[in-house]
Amino acid sequence: MRSGLIAACMMTAVSKTANIYLMSEPYLHLDPETARRIRLLMADVDGTLNTGGGQVSPAVRGAVRRLQENGITVGLVSGRTSPMLEEMALDLDIRGPLIAENGAIARMSVQSGHMDLGYSRQPALDALDRLKACYPGRISEREDNAHRLVDIVFRADGLKMDEIKSCAGDVQVLDSTYILHLMQQGIDKGKTLRRLLGLMDGKIKPSEVLVIGDSMTDLSMFKLFPLAVLVPNPDIPAEDARTLRQAARYISGHQAGDGFVEVALHIIRSRG
Ligand SMILES: [Mg+2]
């Protein structure tokens, strides 16, 4: 009995200690062998390639070009609409998959059509109606909802996440730190990326993909892909930031586009 208790205490101590080491490591720990294994890099956009909503810097543009010259296909995985990602992919000559609306919409490349992932907008529309009824005058939709197929983006004036979730019902409520999203349960960036990989030429393995993002909308990718890089975002609540640091393998030193660039250049240098 006593030895069982001691063993249980030791297990707790070990798991607490292990938790410390499960926090993400500096990106410089990504070694040459790992860097040479990467075939696809999937990047979130807002807070990862830019500071949110704006254009990418010349340095980000150069890093994307150099990654692709070095044999790493770059793709985008974002809460943005598909037309927005298409415009960005054409501008940056991005050749990889485009995953829009936080995983609800996907295409293999800017040249290919959208895939039928079987998702519906109805749960999000119903949740939006419920929120408007719960909080009259405090829920505002964003203009680009007209271009969204599954996801709904909105602002909730002065409302806490708990208040929103308690009224929204059986639907996902996501906070990208820039805008709130309503979406059918079961949709996420990580799962959609896994579905695409199985269909790609050459069958890229999850261990050959590096994912990089900054917010809770990227958590599903951090959990499903071993090579996950967190770009720290100072606007993320402390508890969410801790969750992200526990899920991502690596963390960049700088924020937003500067963080992406330093990671990209380290990978290119490490590949030799
Ligand atoms: Mg982001």
Side-chain angles (χ1 to χ4, degrees), residues 66-130:
R66 289 187 59 191
L67 283 166
Q68 295 196 129
E69 284 172 356
N70 274 269
I72 297 174
T73 305
V74 177
L76 301 174
V77 51
S78 167
R80 289 188 177 204
T81 66
S82 192
M84 289 169 91
L85 293 192
E86 177 174 321
E87 185 182 341
M88 192 169 194
L90 289 170
D91 182 39
L92 298 179
D93 189 27
I94 279 173
R95 299 167 201 163
L98 305 179
I99 298 177
E101 299 190 30
N102 286 315
I105 305 292
R107 56 208 289 198
M108 281 299 186
S109 74
V110 75
Q111 280 83 26
S112 46
H114 290 115
M115 302 167 66
D116 181 5
L117 299 173
Y119 297 135
S120 163
R121 201 179 199 198
Q122 199 56 49
L125 290 168
D126 294 344
L128 184 67
D129 287 343
R130 282 192 289 273

Side-chain angles (χ1 to χ4, degrees), residues 61-261:
R61 184 179 291 272
V64 167
R65 179 178 50 76
R66 289 187 59 191
L67 283 166
Q68 295 196 129
E69 284 172 356
N70 274 269
I72 297 174
T73 305
V74 177
L76 301 174
V77 51
S78 167
R80 289 188 177 204
T81 66
S82 192
M84 289 169 91
L85 293 192
E86 177 174 321
E87 185 182 341
M88 192 169 194
L90 289 170
D91 182 39
L92 298 179
D93 189 27
I94 279 173
R95 299 167 201 163
L98 305 179
I99 298 177
E101 299 190 30
N102 286 315
I105 305 292
R107 56 208 289 198
M108 281 299 186
S109 74
V110 75
Q111 280 83 26
S112 46
H114 290 115
M115 302 167 66
D116 181 5
L117 299 173
Y119 297 135
S120 163
R121 201 179 199 198
Q122 199 56 49
L125 290 168
D126 294 344
L128 184 67
D129 287 343
R130 282 192 289 273
L131 284 170
K132 285 180 174 173
C134 282
Y135 305 111
R138 297 173 75 179
I139 304 294
S140 54
E141 294 183 60
R142 205 170 65 177
E143 284 175 3
D144 62 336
N145 272 336
H147 305 289
R148 289 178 183 269
L149 302 174
V150 177
D151 176 46
I152 284 179
V153 283
F154 70 105
R155 293 191 176 85
D157 183 21
L159 293 173
K160 294 195 176 85
M161 188 55 117
D162 287 352
E163 295 173 303
I164 299 166
K165 284 185 172 172
S166 68
C167 169
D170 189 21
V171 71
Q172 293 190 71
V173 185
L174 298 170
D175 183 359
S176 71
T177 75
Y178 303 103
I179 194 76
L180 294 163
H181 298 259
L182 289 172
M183 217 164 44
Q184 180 188 336
Q185 294 283 14
I187 303 172
D188 62 53
K189 289 179 174 182
K191 195 191 294 179
T192 298
L193 181 53
R194 288 290 286 261
R195 284 175 73 176
L196 288 192
L197 289 189
L199 302 169
M200 289 180 79
D201 290 342
K203 296 270 192 268
I204 294 179
K205 297 180 203 148
S207 59
E208 297 168 333
V209 179
L210 184 135
V211 296
I212 181 165
D214 72 305
S215 80
M216 290 299 274
T217 61
D218 302 305
L219 184 62
S220 60
M221 292 197 294
F222 293 174
K223 288 181 172 174
L224 286 177
F225 290 86
L227 295 179
V229 182
L230 171 65
V231 176
N233 182 332
D235 297 328
I236 303 269
E239 193 176 324
D240 290 347
R242 194 160 43 246
T243 301
L244 291 165
R245 284 202 63 170
Q246 283 173 342
R249 171 80 190 268
Y250 303 105
I251 186 166
S252 65
H254 288 87
Q255 296 165 10
D258 291 344
F260 172 81
V261 169

